[in-house]
């Protein structure tokens, strides 16, 4: 045991414990990131999938039929339950796993409540699920025993307490209802109820059962709509009228947690298969599947495809940075092992005798750290574990362990010992030139293929290795070009520095030009880290700009207030609201037509000059023109002058050659609308909108001041966009990736400084004998590292800024910006300051490391001292 502990490789490990420890720590950190980053991203994708389904996702089988045709198939509750089981049996496995038990209900069409009051509509519903989830505060549940027992002409119902309080109803009151198809109907209120659990998701799709809702009737009219509960006997009495129209619904709620990113495509396909199965079922009146699940999942698939494509670029580059740092640490360890390996080779040791122990020495530091990092990443529970994480950790560990073995192959002859190559001096070999040309060619081919394919390769395009490899290939190609141009930059700076007083600048460049071949790897790592930071900063800034444009386009100002009609005092009342600095009103007249084409056009009467002054940043209205037509409206109106009109307004003339407008706030993209001067429409009784400018606005106060039906704030719209789950995943991954890349870049600088600090301290000590002062030594440390830092970070930052343009259609963020292109532009001041701060930290690290090693005993030499 003693002999083993004192063996040559054990002594070598003790002698080089510092680089071994650094290699172990870097492996640990890389393994943790390899596990947590993909897991947290996958968890974010799953959360976004759940949010995309809405508050009450469901698959509904719905059929509408007259009572005389429907009661034969559904005579009672047992038949309803039987059909619920039949519909459930048709669910495809992927959809069945995501849905819960069926919830049947039968509802009449809304019926008008007669009386001298605001229009009211009430639908009678037999909903066993609702009946089981309410508690009665007055009276009791309806009890309709038979169609002829008791008062056969009256249906017993129960209404919500909020409905009764609003309209002054009590137990025993009667409602006179009018059914357009079946005639009059009388309902008696037997009880008032409230929900046992108002937060139960069951009520999200049944709000009318709990409280009256307001519904627009068109032409500015509104009605209060509610639903009253009845029982099986009430259904039998309702079905006694053969002409009564009934809606039969079997609702299968979707469990949001059951649909994740990996299940979205299969669930959408299963929904389409279920539609076909439901339409083909016989033995019941025609039914169809009604669900927004397909559209929600399709929209989510587009956002997911974009996120995977964009994040694939960032994560691929980040993985290359982490791998580069590990390889650099292993390379520096191998470089430290060269002298003893060369000595052992000179004494007759064979290459296998050197390679195996050298790899074992690295494995002692790498393998335990990799296992510990993987276990720590799993324990952090950042999200569902990804299979790629274990593969990545294993591949990086194996590659890192193999580096010292590769270094042994360089010691084929004893004369190789101590021979340094200087990439900044001499002429590159043909092998290096071929390798550099190959990297440039691969990068160009990768970019060409990526731009040709775009994001049309399907939902898995983001997981394509080609997407992740493009930044790495570009970084490697640019790094090769920078290395080729690096010597020429140093040579060009040499004559200029010789003319300066003092020798610090000249000596610093001379030492920078004499870096060993291992010095090429730090430059490549720093370049790629800067490229990733620049790329994420640029894309994030473009995303924010696109979302800001989308918010302006949707609202049209800082706020937009909608009203059922324009009021003469509304503008003055709005100006009096706190924070308001300007108001521009607009009349909205729907359904105008030309004499030649009955297609409807929405007429917008607004003072465009005042509106442009109020909100100059809104994309859409051009800088000139008083009458503007959307493309759809221009197709209807034609090229010549036209007249627009409808009942209730005077005709409006549209001159020939009217301008074009693609968008206008409040109007659907692609819709037919015309913008005319505000004075061209003077009629009242039509909807109105008020565009409001100001700060610190309150939506409720604006709505009340204008007697409005709704108010929308630009700040709220922008917040909803930026806080969307998928946008949050992209933003957090970009922010975290930029910080991780910067941290790895600084670790690279620190690692190179510390590993080379001892040799540099000896060189500086010799220069001290020649009169170099301590302050000049600190300056020399900065000058030595400055060329690599500036070349690598400058080239990498430029590549990062251009990467969104180079990759083209892959970085298409329009699903997150309401259709607006998130064009790449220079990142904000925070990113630029972050780059300067990173450079400052690197320079500070160079000075601190130089000071730490310079303070050691024996660092200074005296005349006559010999090197150790």
């Amino acid at each position: 045991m003693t002999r083993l502990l004192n063996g040559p490789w054990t002594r070598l490990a003790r002698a080089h414990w510092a680089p071994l420890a650094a290699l172990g720590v870097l492996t640990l950190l890389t393994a943790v990131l390899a596990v947590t980053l993909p897991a947290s991203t996958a968890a974010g994708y799953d959360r976004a999938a759940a949010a995309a389904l809405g508050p009450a996702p469901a698959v509904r089988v719905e059929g509408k039929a007259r009572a005389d045709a429907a009661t034969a198939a559904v005579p009672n509750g047992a038949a309803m339950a039987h059909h619920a089981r039949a519909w459930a049996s048709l669910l495809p496995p992927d959809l069945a796993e995501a849905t819960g038990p069926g919830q049947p209900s039968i509802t009449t069409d809304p019926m008008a409540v007669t009386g001298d009051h605001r229009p009211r509509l009430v639908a009678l519903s037999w909903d066993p699920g609702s009946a089981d989830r309410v508690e009665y505060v007055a009276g009791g549940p309806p009890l309709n025993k038979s169609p002829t027992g008791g008062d056969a002409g009256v249906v017993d119902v129960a209404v919500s307490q909020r409905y009764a309080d609003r309209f002054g109803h009590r137990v025993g009151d009667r409602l006179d209802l009018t059914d357009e198809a079946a005639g009059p109907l009388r309902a008696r209120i037997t009880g008032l109820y409230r929900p046992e659990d108002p937060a139960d998701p069951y009520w999200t799709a049944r709000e009318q059962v709990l409280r009256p809702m307001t519904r627009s009737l068109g032409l500015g009219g509104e009605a209060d709509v509610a639903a009253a509960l009845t029982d099986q006997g009430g259904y039998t009495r309702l079905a006694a009228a053969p002409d009564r129209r009934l809606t039969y619904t079997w609702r299968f709620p979707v469990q949001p947690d059951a649909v994740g990113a990996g299940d979205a495509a299969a669930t959408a396909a299963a929904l389409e298969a279920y539609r076909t199965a439901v339409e083909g079922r016989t033995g019941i009146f025609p039914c169809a599947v009604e669900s927004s699940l397909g559209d929600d999942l399709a929209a989510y698939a587009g956002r997911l495809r974009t996120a995977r494509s964009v994040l694939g670029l960032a994560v691929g580059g980040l993985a290359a940075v982490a791998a580069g740092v590990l390889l650099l640490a292993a390379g520096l360890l191998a470089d430290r092992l060269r002298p003893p390996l060369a000595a052992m080779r000179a004494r007759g040791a064979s290459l296998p005798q050197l390679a195996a122990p050298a790899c074992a020495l690295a494995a002692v530091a790498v393998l335990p750290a990799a296992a510990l990092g993987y276990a720590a990443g799993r324990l952090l529970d950042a999200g569902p574990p990804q299979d790629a994480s274990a593969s990545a950790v294993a591949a990086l560990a194996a590659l890192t362990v193999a580096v010292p073995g590769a270094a042994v192959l360089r010691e084929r002859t004893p004369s190789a010992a101590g021979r340094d190559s200087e990439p900044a001096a001499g002429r590159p070999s043909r092998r290096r030139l071929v390798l550099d040309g190959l990297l440039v060619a691969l990068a160009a081919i990768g970019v060409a293929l990526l731009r040709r394919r775009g994001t049309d390769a399907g939902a898995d395009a983001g997981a394509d290795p080609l997407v992740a490899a493009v930044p790495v290939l570009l970084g490697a190609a640019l790094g090769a070009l920078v290395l080729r141009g690096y010597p020429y930059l140093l040579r060009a700076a040499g004559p200029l520095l010789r003319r300066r007083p003092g020798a610090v600048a000249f000596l610093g460049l001379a030492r920078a030009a004499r870096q060993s071949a291992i010095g090429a790897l730090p430059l490549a790592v720093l370049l790629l880290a800067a490229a990733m930071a620049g790329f994420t900063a640029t894309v994030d800034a473009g995303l924010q700009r696109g979302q800001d444009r989308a918010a302006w386009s949707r609202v049209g100002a800082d706020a937009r207030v909608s009203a059922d009609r324009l009021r003469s005092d509304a503008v003055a009342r709005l100006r009096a609201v706190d924070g308001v600095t300007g108001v521009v009103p607009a009349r909205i007249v729907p359904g105008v037509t030309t004499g030649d084409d009955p297609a409807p056009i929405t007429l917008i009467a607004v003072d465009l000059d005042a509106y442009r002054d109020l909100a100059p940043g809104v994309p859409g209205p051009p800088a000139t023109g008083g009458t503007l037509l959307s493309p759809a409206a221009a197709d209807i109106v034609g090229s010549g002058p036209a007249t627009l009109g409808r009942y209730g307004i005077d005709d409006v003339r549209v001159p020939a050659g009217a301008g074009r407008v693609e968008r206008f706030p409040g109007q659907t993209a692609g819709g037919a609308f015309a913008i005319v001067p505000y004075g061209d429409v003077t009629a009242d009784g039509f909807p109105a909108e008020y565009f409001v400018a100001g700060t610190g606005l309150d939506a409720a106060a604006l709505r009340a001041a204008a007697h409005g039906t709704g108010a929308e704030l630009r700040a709220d719209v922008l917040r909803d966009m930026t806080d969307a789950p998928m946008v949050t995943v992209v933003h957090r991954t970009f922010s975290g990736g930029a910080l991780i890349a910067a941290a790895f870049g600084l670790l690279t600088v620190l690692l190179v400084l510390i590993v080379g600090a001892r040799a540099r301290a000896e060189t500086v000590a010799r220069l001290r004998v020649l009169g170099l002062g301590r302050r000049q030594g600190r300056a020399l440390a900065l000058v030595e590292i400055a060329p690599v830092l500036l070349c690598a970070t400058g080239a990498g930052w430029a590549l990062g800024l251009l990467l969104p343009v180079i990759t083209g259609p892959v970085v298409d963020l329009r699903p997150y910006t309401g259709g607006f292109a998130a064009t790449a532009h220079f990142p904000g001041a925070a990113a630029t300051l972050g780059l300067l701060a990173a450079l400052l930290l690197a320079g500070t690290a160079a000075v601190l490391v130089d000071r730490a090693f310079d303070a050691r005993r024996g660092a200074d030499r005296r005349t006559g001292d010999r090197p150790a």
Side-chain angles (χ1 to χ4, degrees):
M1 179 63 69
T2 303
R3 184 178 179 181
L4 180 63
L5 293 176
N6 293 324
W9 292 104
T10 305
R11 292 196 302 270
L12 196 60
R14 288 200 300 264
H16 298 285
W17 67 270
L20 285 173
L23 184 60
V25 171
L26 288 174
T27 303
L28 175 67
L29 294 177
T30 304
V32 171
L33 289 174
V35 176
T36 56
L37 186 60
S40 62
T41 303
Y45 289 159
D46 291 340
R47 289 192 298 269
L53 301 182
V59 176
R60 301 190 317 277
V61 177
E62 190 172 285
K64 297 179 181 292
R66 293 194 339 172
D68 56 352
T71 51
V74 189
N76 50 40
M80 277 288 286
H82 165 72
H83 288 297
R85 291 189 295 270
W87 296 129
S89 66
L90 295 178
L91 287 168
D94 290 319
L95 198 57
E97 294 176 359
T99 55
Q103 300 169 352
S105 63
I106 303 174
T107 308
T108 67
D109 289 342
M111 296 177 282
V113 181
T114 59
D116 186 15
H117 45 62
R118 169 174 164 156
R120 267 194 290 161
L121 300 174
V122 173
L124 304 189
S125 176
W126 176 30
D127 189 345
S130 295
D132 295 338
R133 289 174 172 84
V134 299
E135 58 182 4
Y136 284 85
V137 297
L143 188 60
N144 298 277
K145 294 183 178 180
S146 68
T148 57
D151 193 346
V154 178
V155 178
D156 289 345
V157 299
V159 299
S160 67
Q161 183 182 18
R162 296 179 63 177
Y163 183 89
D165 292 343
R166 179 168 177 177
F167 299 110
H169 290 304
R170 294 178 298 179
V171 174
D173 286 356
R174 299 198 177 192
L175 300 176
D176 293 322
L177 308 176
T178 300
D179 189 324
E180 293 182 358
L185 175 71
R186 177 168 292 182
R188 179 173 54 215
I189 299 176
T190 64
L192 310 181
Y193 60 80
R194 64 185 179 190
E196 293 180 349
D197 181 11
D200 189 342
Y202 183 88
W203 298 115
T204 306
R206 299 171 176 83
E207 293 185 76
Q208 294 182 3
V209 176
L210 300 183
R211 61 185 180 91
M213 310 288 291
T214 300
R215 176 189 295 179
S216 175
L217 298 179
L219 299 178
E222 293 181 342
D224 296 307
V225 183
L229 295 179
T230 187
D231 57 359
Q232 179 173 328
Y235 163 66
T236 304
R237 294 187 178 187
L238 291 171
D243 293 332
R244 194 178 309 281
R245 291 176 298 189
L246 300 171
T247 300
Y248 295 79
T249 303
W250 292 268
R251 184 177 185 273
F252 297 91
V254 176
Q255 311 298 327
D257 295 339
V259 181
D263 309 319
T267 304
L271 180 64
E272 295 305 314
Y274 189 52
R275 292 184 192 275
T276 304
V278 168
E279 292 174 0
R281 186 183 174 219
T282 59
I284 193 175
F285 45 84
C287 294
V289 174
E290 301 291 338
S291 177
S292 63
L293 187 63
D295 295 336
D296 295 337
L297 290 178
Y300 168 75
R303 294 191 294 270
L304 179 63
R305 181 169 57 248
T306 298
R308 283 178 170 171
S309 298
V310 177
L311 296 185
L313 293 170
V315 173
L318 187 61
V321 172
V325 174
L326 279 181
L327 294 179
L328 174 62
L332 291 174
L333 174 63
D335 200 51
R336 292 283 296 271
L337 293 176
R338 285 180 62 194
L341 290 178
M344 296 173 67
R345 177 67 169 159
R347 293 170 184 171
S350 65
L351 291 179
Q353 288 177 323
L354 297 177
C359 293
L361 191 64
V364 169
V366 171
L367 297 184
L372 183 61
Y374 182 81
R378 292 292 298 271
L379 288 175
L380 290 175
D381 194 21
Q386 304 297 301
D387 295 337
S389 297
S391 302
V393 172
L396 285 176
L399 192 60
T400 305
V401 170
V403 169
V408 171
L409 298 179
R410 300 175 58 190
E411 312 302 330
R412 295 179 182 276
T413 62
S415 60
R419 187 172 61 196
D420 284 339
S421 62
E422 297 177 4
R427 183 173 300 174
S429 64
R430 293 181 179 179
R431 184 181 299 176
R432 288 292 303 273
L433 291 176
V434 171
L435 179 60
D436 293 347
L438 181 61
L439 285 175
V440 174
L442 286 176
I445 293 173
V447 171
L449 291 176
L450 191 64
R451 291 182 64 87
R452 184 175 181 178
R453 293 173 60 184
T455 55
D456 297 331
D460 295 331
D464 192 337
L466 176 63
V467 176
V470 165
V472 181
L473 292 175
L474 288 172
L478 183 60
L481 295 177
V482 171
L483 282 174
R484 294 280 72 83
Y486 183 70
Y488 299 102
L489 293 176
L490 296 180
R491 291 171 187 172
L496 298 176
L497 295 177
R498 291 192 190 98
R499 302 172 186 173
R500 295 179 57 86
V504 172
F506 177 77
L507 290 174
L509 284 185
R511 285 184 54 78
R514 288 181 172 84
Q515 299 295 328
S516 62
I518 199 67
L521 194 53
L523 187 144
V525 173
L526 288 174
L527 187 148
L528 197 54
M532 287 301 99
F535 171 70
T536 55
T538 302
V539 175
D540 204 30
L543 177 60
Q544 293 178 6
R545 184 170 180 264
Q547 289 177 334
D548 189 62
R549 284 172 55 83
W552 276 110
S553 177
R554 174 173 167 178
V555 180
D558 293 315
R560 177 162 52 88
V561 184
S562 302
D564 55 359
R565 64 185 181 88
L566 189 71
R567 299 178 184 270
S568 58
D569 62 339
V571 173
R573 290 168 60 90
L574 285 171
R575 291 182 184 276
V577 175
D578 292 341
V580 174
T581 59
V583 180
V584 172
R587 285 187 172 93
I588 311 296
V589 183
V592 300
T593 60
T594 65
D596 301 329
D597 195 330
I601 299 175
T602 300
L603 195 64
I604 306 169
V606 63
D607 186 346
L608 275 181
D609 292 333
Y611 177 67
R612 293 186 186 103
D613 293 338
L614 179 81
V618 175
T624 59
T627 300
L628 304 173
L629 299 175
S630 70
D635 292 341
I636 298 173
V637 172
S639 58
T643 301
L644 301 179
R646 62 158 287 172
Y647 176 77
I649 66 170
D650 296 331
D651 290 344
V652 177
R653 294 285 297 173
V654 176
R660 298 292 183 266
V661 58
E662 295 288 339
R663 301 171 179 265
F664 194 77
Q667 300 302 311
T668 305
F673 59 88
I675 302 175
V676 299
Y678 183 72
D680 287 4
V681 179
T682 58
D684 292 328
F686 293 100
E689 290 184 345
Y690 304 89
F691 297 98
V692 181
T695 56
L697 302 176
D698 180 57
L702 294 175
R703 186 169 54 250
H707 303 283
T709 57
E712 194 171 34
L713 301 183
R714 182 180 61 85
D716 293 342
V717 173
L718 183 59
R719 183 173 59 253
D720 291 341
M721 288 184 180
T722 55
D723 292 345
M726 193 66 78
V727 176
T728 303
V729 173
V730 173
H731 179 70
R732 288 181 178 176
T733 304
F734 274 1
S735 301
L739 293 177
I740 293 170
F744 273 120
L746 291 175
L747 284 175
T748 300
V749 174
L750 193 61
L751 185 63
V752 173
L753 290 172
I754 292 177
V755 171
R758 181 178 298 177
R760 184 185 177 281
E762 293 180 356
T763 302
V764 172
R766 297 189 187 98
L767 293 175
R768 292 270 173 80
V769 178
L770 301 177
L772 185 72
R774 292 184 180 276
R775 183 172 298 178
Q776 290 177 315
R778 307 289 185 264
L780 182 61
L782 288 176
V783 175
E784 286 180 21
I785 197 175
V788 173
L789 277 179
L790 295 180
C791 288
T793 56
W797 189 255
L799 175 62
L801 300 187
L802 294 175
L803 197 56
V805 180
I806 294 173
T807 54
V810 174
V811 187
D812 184 5
L813 300 175
R814 284 179 294 181
Y816 308 140
T817 60
F820 282 89
T823 55
H825 65 290
F826 197 79
T832 305
L833 291 176
L835 176 65
L836 297 177
L839 292 175
L840 182 61
L841 285 175
T844 303
V847 173
L848 292 178
V849 170
D850 178 81
R851 182 176 181 179
F853 279 82
D854 185 50
R856 294 180 178 179
R857 181 179 297 181
D860 289 335
R861 290 186 180 274
R862 293 171 297 179
T863 303
D865 285 350
R866 295 182 179 180

